[in-house]
Each structure stands twice: as structure tokens, then as C-alpha cells.
Amino acid sequence: MRTRNRMWVAAIACAVLLGGCAMETKEQARQRLQAGGGKTGEAAAPASTTAGAAQNGAGKLTAVQFYVPSEKENSLSVIDVPTGQVVGKVQLQEAPSTVVFSSTMREAYAANMNSSTVSIINTQTLKVEKEVAVGPMPHGMALSADNKTLYVAAVADQFVYIVDTKEGNEAGTIDLGTGAKTNYLVLFGDRLYVSDHENDKVYVVDVKTKRTVLTIPTGKTPRAIRVSDDGKKLYVPTAGEGALETYDTADGKPLGRISVTPGATDVVVSEDGTTAVVTSMEGSAVTFVDLQAGKPVETVTDLPGARHIEYNRQQTKAYVTLSGSNEVVSIDTSTKRVVDRIQVGATPHGIRIKALPGIGGSC
């Protein structure tokens, strides 16, 4: 019996090494999915019931993938992380920009700028289940932890639009004031952070009262903002300053500014808080930043229209959309070199990883 057990352990270990991703048992996955719930709190079906439902297995629930909207092709590419191949496509409305996932990864939400809608996507069938009308030019989005409320920034006006994901309709707005412009969003607890790229501000909103509780003046043209894992720091790439700015979320006071390439667009921060990687769309570059030393350490150039960025699960690679070359590049975070180029739709915009906790941990 012990010999047989050792053989099973060896077989599983081999599968992990060959597959390149961490694994969990089917029973563990079933229990976790049931505990987390399916769509809007309903019990989720086991992954095996939906595997293979979409083209090339792209709809498999446990697959680790990136979703990349294409502005010019009005579509979304699904990239398989272990192989670096495009394994599926979703047709969307006009000029999709960004995408977010529910915590169960069973739904994705894509903002369509020119059609002023949000597409609700079934990630197993790769089909759009509903279009929700919101404000003009929806862009950044943030989803509540219970998956029930989607907050949508509309670049062309002063409101954040609230979508009830269960009903699939607009359920109100948050007014940021006359002249305000909304761009990118981050939700941390009950606080919603909204960048205003035209007025050089970040608004901090209490989502319970729907009121602005703090306004943080920033450098010129703040773009895709991030909050640290502990919620204490706000990271703001400012395109007009060519900088990564950091603010205290408690009082909005500046904590530092690090020069990067002009046109700073998006940022990811390592789990230990020591390193940041900043994209620069106009500068066509990516800058690695030492946050402890407060300085850039290396810049990767010749990345046309380097726009948005996401880490893989282990943060060994950073994936960047290149709106100028219709590619997603993979950059090794240790060597700081491009290791892969993936052709996607024309003018790729945002990028977001789809990965369930405990699955694909080494991808």
C-alpha cells in the first residue's frame, strides 16, 4: 500500500512539473467553489461540467489565462498562460477597453467605450450573456468583493456608474462634481479610488454613502492607479510628469515621486512591496523601479504603445499590452528581458488574469 501511495505521489508531482502549474485535488476544488459560490452567490458547478465548452478548451474554469480586449477589432483575446497561445476569442461591442472578473472567474465584465455598454461574459462558453447600458465612454471598472456591484468609470462625464450584476442593469451613479472626469478605479474595502486624468486628481469615495471623502491632488494626467495590499499606499502613474507617485491613503499626503519614462500609464507592485513595474504608452517602454531606494533600475525600450500590465501568479513574468504593435509581450522580471511575443487583436488595451485561488499557482 505504501508503495502504491508513493507511486501516486510521484505521478502527481510529475504532472505538476510537466503542466507547469500548481494543482489541487478535485475535492478541494469542489469544496472551494461551493464555499465561494457561483454566479451572484449560487452554488457553482464543478469545473468538469464546463471544461471544453469553448473553443480549444478556453472555457475550462481551472485554466490560467489572460483576457485582452482589442479596441479596433471589437473583440477579446483569451491567452493560455502556460503555452502563451491565443486559445479563444469573444466578439464584443465597440472599442472594448478593460475587463474584470468575478471572484469565481465564471463571469467577466468588459467596458465598451464607443457603445457605452458593459458586456457580461460567460467565461465557460465565451459568450456575451447581456449588454448593460452605462455612461459615455466607460473605461475603468472595479467589482465588489461579493460580486454584486460593479463600479464603472465613464471618461466623458462626472459620474461613476453602478451596475447590479445579478439584475444586469444600471442601479445608480456616484456624482464626483461638475467638471470631474472619471478614468480608472480601484476598490479597497469601502473606499473607491477614482483617477481624474483631466483635473489631475484622485477622488476617494465612500461606497456606502456614495460621497467623496478625500480628494488627492496629483501630478499631471494620472492614469491606472493601484492600492498596496495593506491598503495604506496609493500608487499613481502620472503621464504628464513621467513619474510614479505614491500617496498615503489615510490623508492623501505624498510619500514619494520616482521618475520613469514620459507617458506613465499603468503599474504593478510586487507582493513584498519592494519593486514596481511601470508602463509608458507614449514612451513605448517599461520601467522597473526599486521602491525602497526610490529610483528606477532598468528600462525596457522598443515596446510600441506599452499600455497595461499584469503579473503572472508567481510574479516571475510581467505581461504588457502593446497598442502600437497588436501584441502582448512577456517580460522576465528577473532578467528584465522580453521572453515572448503574442499576437492578439488590433490595438490591445487592458489585460487581466483569470485564475482561481489554489490553481495555476506556479503559472
Side-chain angles (χ1 to χ4, degrees), residues 153-172:
V155 176
D157 71 14
Q158 68 197 51
F159 300 99
V160 172
Y161 290 81
I162 301 171
V163 173
D164 182 324
T165 60
K166 182 177 181 179
E167 298 299 327
N169 56 29
E170 184 196 316

Side-chain angles (χ1 to χ4, degrees), residues 55-281:
Q55 58 267 52
N56 298 320
K60 186 175 180 180
L61 184 64
T62 55
V64 182
Q65 300 163 341
F66 282 109
Y67 276 34
V68 181
S70 162
E71 281 188 41
K72 296 295 185 182
E73 292 184 4
N74 301 329
S75 66
L76 182 150
S77 298
V78 181
I79 299 173
D80 179 68
V81 174
T83 64
Q85 300 295 313
V86 175
V87 294
K89 289 271 189 177
V90 182
Q91 198 62 36
L92 298 174
Q93 295 295 308
E94 295 181 49
S97 56
T98 58
V99 62
V100 297
F101 292 100
S102 65
S103 61
T104 64
M105 304 297 158
R106 298 179 70 86
E107 296 86 30
Y109 303 88
N112 305 301
M113 293 187 293
N114 291 354
S115 61
S116 297
T117 62
V118 172
S119 299
I120 302 177
I121 304 164
N122 182 314
T123 62
Q124 290 82 69
T125 63
L126 296 192
K127 300 292 184 182
V128 175
E129 295 189 333
K130 192 167 186 178
E131 298 288 346
V132 182
V134 290
M137 297 193 70
H139 199 205
M141 296 183 292
L143 185 62
S144 63
D146 62 6
N147 300 319
K148 294 180 180 180
T149 306
L150 180 70
Y151 299 93
V152 184
V155 176
D157 71 14
Q158 68 197 51
F159 300 99
V160 172
Y161 290 81
I162 301 171
V163 173
D164 182 324
T165 60
K166 182 177 181 179
E167 298 299 327
N169 56 29
E170 184 196 316
T173 60
I174 299 172
D175 188 350
L176 298 180
T178 303
K181 299 294 182 183
T182 65
N183 195 1
Y184 290 98
L185 304 175
V186 176
L187 181 64
F188 191 94
D190 293 330
R191 285 195 162 194
L192 184 69
Y193 298 82
V194 188
S195 65
D196 183 335
H197 60 294
E198 291 193 12
N199 296 297
D200 306 330
K201 299 175 181 178
V202 172
Y203 307 101
V204 185
V205 177
D206 184 322
V207 295
K208 291 183 177 179
T209 64
K210 300 180 184 178
R211 294 186 181 278
T212 300
V213 295
L214 181 65
T215 299
I216 302 174
T218 69
K220 295 178 182 178
T221 322
R223 284 179 169 167
I225 53 181
R226 304 264 181 163
V227 174
S228 61
D229 289 343
D230 61 8
K232 295 181 179 180
K233 294 179 180 179
L234 176 69
Y235 298 98
V236 183
T238 49
E241 307 290 344
L244 174 63
E245 300 177 1
T246 308
Y247 296 87
D248 189 320
T249 57
D251 55 17
K253 291 182 178 179
L255 298 175
R257 175 184 287 190
I258 301 171
S259 294
V260 293
T261 306
T265 305
D266 198 358
V267 60
V268 288
V269 179
S270 61
E271 288 181 355
D272 61 10
T274 63
T275 304
V277 191
V278 184
T279 61
S280 298
M281 187 168 64

